[in-house]
């Protein structure tokens, strides 16, 4: 039996209306897609430094400094791509301009002439000497003389690693991460472990190390570190600083370490204390 012309026309009209709506929605969406595509892309390197930045189980960038960096970049009008790297690769990629920025610790001597650092320093981190058992706490820097120290490979500790390497009466042993460093300390491979407080406290099972204690060594500040190899590094830095300040005012935050006076263990080398954050200014 032949279909009714009016029925065919009804189906045709509704189909036409659906297609028309889809086309209209696509046309209306084009400006948003274009606007997103026009935003500059920033490649942000990050390392394993929990709880501030780390790679989660899904292989994604995570941590409080990562979240803040994402917000600041978006406020400044950028799209972001996070690149997970070992710390030594972070230094290399900044030197080569293969990443635009790293949210990390300032005052790294090997990067001094190759990066520009934000004026904003939202995080302060404590470096400590960790120990077990009957090992005495540190009261002054010279307490490290004649001792065995465990260090994380690739960490400069703001120039402290090279300083210690130059001392004849300090024995240095290196390992790859926070957990293996704790294991080495437990196996008596060193008297003290030099590592940062929050990453150690974020290491799964750290509280199972009976008698684990730490002595304060120094404070360090973190900011956004931009590669000088990128043509727009100064603009990136300025726009990040402005965006961060806007977010602080909007969120009602007042804490910032833009003009820090980091503390140190008594007797800490003055040459390292005097070092300004690498690359501040031009």
């Amino acid at each position: 039996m032949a279909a009714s012309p009016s029925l065919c026309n009804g189906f045709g009209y509704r189909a036409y209306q659906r297609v028309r709506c889809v086309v209209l929605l696509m046309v209306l969406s084009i400006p948003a897609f274009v606007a997103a595509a026009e935003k500059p892309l920033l490649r942000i390197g990050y390392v394993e430094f929990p709880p501030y930045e780390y790679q989660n189980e899904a292989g994604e960038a995570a941590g409080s400094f990562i979240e803040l960096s994402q917000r600041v970049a978006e406020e400044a009008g950028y799209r972001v791509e996070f690149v997970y790297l070992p710390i030594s690769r972070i230094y290399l990629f900044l030197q080569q301009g293969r990443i635009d920025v790293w949210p990390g610790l300032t005052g790294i001597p090997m990067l001094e002439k190759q990066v520009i650092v934000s004026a904003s320093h939202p995080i302060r981190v404590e470096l400590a000497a960790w120990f077990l058992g009957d090992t005495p706490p540190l009261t002054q820097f010279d307490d490290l003389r004649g001792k065995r120290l465990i260090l994380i490979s690739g960490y400069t500790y703001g120039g402290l690693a090279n300083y210690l390497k130059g001392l004849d009466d300090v024995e240095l042993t290196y390992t790859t991460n926070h957990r293996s460093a704790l294991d080495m300390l437990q196996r008596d491979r060193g008297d003290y472990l030099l590592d940062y407080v929050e990453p150690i406290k974020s290491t799964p099972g750290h509280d199972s190390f009976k008698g684990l204690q730490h002595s304060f060594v120094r404070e360090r500040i973190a900011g956004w570190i931009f590669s000088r190899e990128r043509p727009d590094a100064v603009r990136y830095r300025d726009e990040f600083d402005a965006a961060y300040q806007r977010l602080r005012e909007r969120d009602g935050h007042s804490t910032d370490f833009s003009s820090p006076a980091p503390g140190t263990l008594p007797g800490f080398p003055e040459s390292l204390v005097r070092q300004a954050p690498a690359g501040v200014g031009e």
Side-chain angles (χ1 to χ4, degrees), residues 155-257:
Y155 280 21
T156 71
Y157 302 94
L160 180 58
N162 277 339
Y163 181 89
L164 292 170
K165 195 182 297 184
L167 300 179
D168 294 334
D169 56 352
V170 174
E171 179 184 333
L172 302 181
T173 301
Y174 298 88
T175 189
T176 56
N177 56 59
H178 309 290
R179 175 68 199 204
S180 64
L182 287 172
D183 289 338
M184 290 181 68
L185 187 65
Q186 189 174 51
R187 295 198 303 269
D188 195 30
R189 296 285 301 278
D191 301 303
Y192 297 96
L193 158 64
L194 286 182
D195 206 346
Y196 296 93
V197 171
E198 292 303 326
I200 284 290
K201 289 185 175 181
S202 298
T203 300
H206 82 278
D207 50 359
S208 66
F209 290 83
K210 193 171 182 180
L212 181 65
Q213 303 175 66
H214 67 276
S215 292
F216 171 82
V217 174
R218 72 178 301 187
E219 288 178 313
R220 296 188 63 196
I221 56 175
W224 289 282
I225 302 172
F226 299 88
S227 170
R228 284 187 180 272
E229 290 298 310
R230 305 301 298 158
D232 296 322
V234 173
R235 178 167 62 85
Y236 295 159
R237 187 270 313 274
D238 292 345
E239 291 178 349
F240 259 57
D241 279 333
Y244 175 62
Q245 294 305 318
R246 289 196 300 272
L247 289 176
R248 283 181 61 212
E249 293 169 4
R250 193 179 306 158
D251 296 345
H253 294 164
S254 58
T255 302
D256 185 72
F257 304 112

Side-chain angles (χ1 to χ4, degrees), residues 45-47 49 85-99 101-102 104-112 114-115 152-159 161 196 220 225-229 278:
Y46 72 101
V47 299
F49 198 74
L85 296 165
I87 187 63
S88 58
R89 288 290 183 91
I90 286 283
Y91 300 157
L92 178 63
F93 279 28
L94 283 170
Q95 291 166 338
Q96 296 176 342
R98 295 173 64 180
I99 56 175
V101 58
W102 169 45
L105 296 177
T106 63
I108 300 171
M110 65 185 296
L111 296 177
E112 185 173 357
Q114 295 166 306
V115 297
I152 306 292
S153 297
Y155 280 21
T156 71
Y157 302 94
Y196 296 93
R220 296 188 63 196
I225 302 172
F226 299 88
S227 170
R228 284 187 180 272
E229 290 298 310

